[in-house]
């Protein structure tokens, strides 16, 4: 039995999801004629209380399109230093949008309104123009922490006062929502645009959705095309997304319970230095020197457990749809034996 804790992107479509995919009615989406893509877009827009949505091949493309539509060259985006848009999108903000990035140090990737307000630059022609704030909920590099709704509301007010747009990188927004009990519409009301990933814990093989106003999405559609993301019979993929939204949201709680079980074991091991607070499906922990992540990952791999390094002495575990209770128990057994 191989236990893959590398990422929640490694999930494979379940038989029922595959069935939904094969049964999908499709058409040419570049002409707006794929009924399943249209249904997915309408579903997502409706859920989050926005007018429109756009099916994209990846979360990176959805975020990059959002940056492009919300900014002009020589602007800057304000975000936490742990943000996916800064860390893991290959400096696309500079490449596609010609903008700078104003990095803030929040707490495990979570910003406050005060931090954001203090970072907004005065309007001077020699300064970058602060035009966009991006929040990430949950924050991956921060350890899957949930953004408190008060912070989002307060940051929203700051954005409104200063004329900035607010984009939410919601790759794992449903991991946050199942814990807080807030609805997608609650969070949708606080932001100008949202990107969600269908291919993480929700278990679809491909796809993300960008959500916003009609005008925003009309522009976004142009940029998706120029980035090469206009797909044809994409309904086969959209059907997996619809299935995931209908069937795989509530069960994210199981992944969270599994993450807590792993963290509980780690907290008792004398070779583990510290664990970031676990709120959802991500467990990030530091090893006591002289142990290195490479050493520990090598030992785990020999026992059939795969995970990734998040620093020289830092390891990340991610639980997901394809990690069963049995696999978690096996991991706990292996970890306990390593002590
Ligand atoms: C995974 C992820 C994305 C997008 O990733 P893709 O691999 O391009 O689909 C964006 N933001 C966050 C926070 C993510 O974890």
């Amino acid at each position: 039995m191989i236990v893959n804790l590398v990422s929640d992107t490694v999930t494979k479509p379940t038989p029922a999801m595959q069935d939904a995919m094969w049964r999908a009615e499709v058409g040419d989406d570049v002409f707006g004629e794929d009924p399943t893509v249209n249904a997915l877009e309408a579903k997502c827009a409706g859920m989050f209380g926005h007018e429109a949505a756009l099916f994209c091949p990846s979360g990176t493309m959805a975020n990059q399109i959002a940056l492009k539509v919300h900014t002009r060259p020589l602007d800057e985006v304000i975000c936490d230093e742990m943000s996916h848009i800064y860390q893991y999108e290959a400096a696309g903000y500079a490449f596609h949008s010609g903008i700078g990035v104003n990095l803030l140090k929040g707490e495990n990737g979570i910003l406050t309104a005060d931090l954001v307000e203090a970072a907004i630059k005065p309007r001077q022609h020699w300064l970058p123009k602060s035009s966009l704030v991006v929040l990430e909920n949950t924050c991956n590099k921060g350890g899957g922490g949930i953004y408190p709704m008060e912070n989002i509301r307060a940051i929203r007010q700051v954005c409104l006062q200063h004329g900035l747009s607010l984009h939410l990188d919601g790759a794992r927004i449903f991991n946050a929502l199942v814990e807080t009990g807030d609805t997608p519409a609650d969070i949708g009301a606080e932001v100008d645009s949202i990107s969600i990933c269908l291919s993480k814990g929700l278990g679809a093989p491909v796809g993300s959705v960008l959500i916003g106003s009609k005008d925003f999405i009309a522009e976004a559609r142009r940029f998706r095309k120029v980035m090469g993301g206009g797909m044809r019979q994409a309904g086969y993929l959209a059907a997996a997304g619809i299935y995931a939204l209908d069937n795989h949201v509530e069960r994210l709680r199981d992944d969270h319970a599994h993450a807590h079980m792993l963290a509980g074991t780690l907290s008792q091991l004398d070779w583990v230095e510290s664990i970031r607070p676990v709120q959802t499906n991500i467990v990030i922990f530091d090893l006591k020197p002289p142990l290195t992540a490479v050493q520990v990952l090598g030992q785990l791999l020999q026992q059939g457990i795969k995970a990734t390094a998040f620093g020289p002495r830092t390891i990340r575990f991610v639980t997901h749809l394809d990690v069963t209770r049995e696999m978690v128990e096996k991991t706990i057994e292996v970890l306990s034996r390593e002590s």
Side-chain angles (χ1 to χ4, degrees), residues 14 16-17 20 23 43 47 201-203 239-252 254 321:
T14 61
M17 180 181 278
R23 280 189 285 100
K43 184 181 178 75
M47 277 175 101
L202 295 183
I242 292 172
Y243 182 89
L245 289 168
D246 288 341
N247 296 281
H248 291 168
V249 172
E250 292 301 319
R251 63 149 306 285
L252 290 171
D254 301 345
L321 182 62

Side-chain angles (χ1 to χ4, degrees), residues 9 57-61 63 84 89 136 138 140 169 171-172 197 199-200 208:
T9 55
S58 70
T60 298
M61 189 186 286
N63 279 338
H84 197 278
E89 297 185 12
E136 186 174 313
T138 65
N140 168 33
D169 178 349
R172 295 190 181 81
C197 277
S199 61
K200 297 247 161 95
S208 282

